[in-house]
Amino acid sequence: MKVLDILRVKGNTLYTVKSDEPLAKAAEIMAEKDIGSLVVMDHGDLVGMLTFREVILCIVKNGGEIGATLVRTAMDDAPLTCTPETEIDEVRRMMLGRHARYMPVLNKKVLEGVISFYDVAKAVVDGQNFENRMLKAYIRDWPSEEDETQDTKL
């Protein structure tokens, strides 16, 4: 299974923010849209990733307030990225290695979507459930000894 399989199911709604926007505005968008991350784009290029983790860390650093902080101050300026062709097992390894919950998907320099650790986990579980159902159907249709005896008599 590849990242493009997840994007096909998930859809391609993207939420972005510019690095020079106020962090308070970005947090408001995240809360309003009920999303955990925003891709930070400047002049059409991915320059960072902003998640609630970075927002909370910034608020703690500022003594409990966002203040006039800009997105660029809080964002992860070197986020993990993958391509639509990246295998899901590789994405899981990368996300676990960096404790990343969100990963932008780039096709060359074009942002195609964002996948979350939840999306990856769901895809893996759905794949395992499908495989499990297929194996159970195969076992259920397994020929009995009586069937095999009749087949040899024919």
Side-chain angles (χ1 to χ4, degrees):
M1 187 179 314
K2 295 182 179 189
V3 169
L4 61 92
D5 299 317
I6 292 176
L7 289 178
R8 231 181 264 131
V9 172
K10 183 177 179 174
N12 57 0
T13 303
L14 289 171
Y15 296 100
T16 64
V17 67
K18 294 180 180 175
S19 66
D20 61 356
E21 291 193 53
L23 185 58
K25 180 180 178 188
E28 185 179 311
I29 292 168
M30 292 167 78
E32 179 183 297
K33 302 292 183 188
D34 192 26
I35 54 174
S37 69
L38 289 169
V39 180
V40 184
M41 302 285 289
D42 283 339
H43 310 292
D45 292 325
L46 173 94
V47 295
M49 193 73 181
L50 182 70
T51 69
F52 269 121
R53 177 189 291 163
E54 286 84 24
V55 173
I56 290 169
L57 287 171
C58 189
I59 290 170
V60 169
K61 274 188 202 175
N62 288 336
E65 297 191 16
I66 287 183
T69 306
L70 297 178
V71 168
R72 79 168 50 92
T73 305
M75 72 182 191
D76 175 359
D77 61 359
L80 285 174
T81 62
C82 61
T83 71
E85 293 297 320
T86 306
E87 295 286 337
I88 295 301
D89 287 339
E90 176 67 8
V91 170
R92 279 193 310 187
R93 187 191 63 70
M94 291 166 61
M95 291 177 110
L96 286 169
R98 284 260 308 263
H99 298 273
R101 290 184 180 95
Y102 301 92
M103 185 181 290
V105 180
L106 296 174
N107 190 355
K108 296 185 178 152
K109 292 187 100 180
V110 177
L111 179 64
E112 294 210 352
V114 175
I115 58 172
S116 68
F117 197 77
Y118 171 84
D119 298 328
V120 173
K122 183 179 181 323
V124 169
V125 168
D126 289 349
Q128 289 172 342
N129 286 340
F130 176 76
E131 184 177 317
N132 192 12
R133 284 193 311 275
M134 293 297 107
L135 287 171
K136 284 180 180 177
Y138 179 74
I139 291 168
R140 190 174 42 247
D141 295 336
W142 192 274
S144 67
E145 286 182 31
E146 187 177 299
D147 293 339
E148 288 177 9
T149 306
Q150 288 177 358
D151 286 344
T152 56
K153 289 180 183 176
L154 296 175

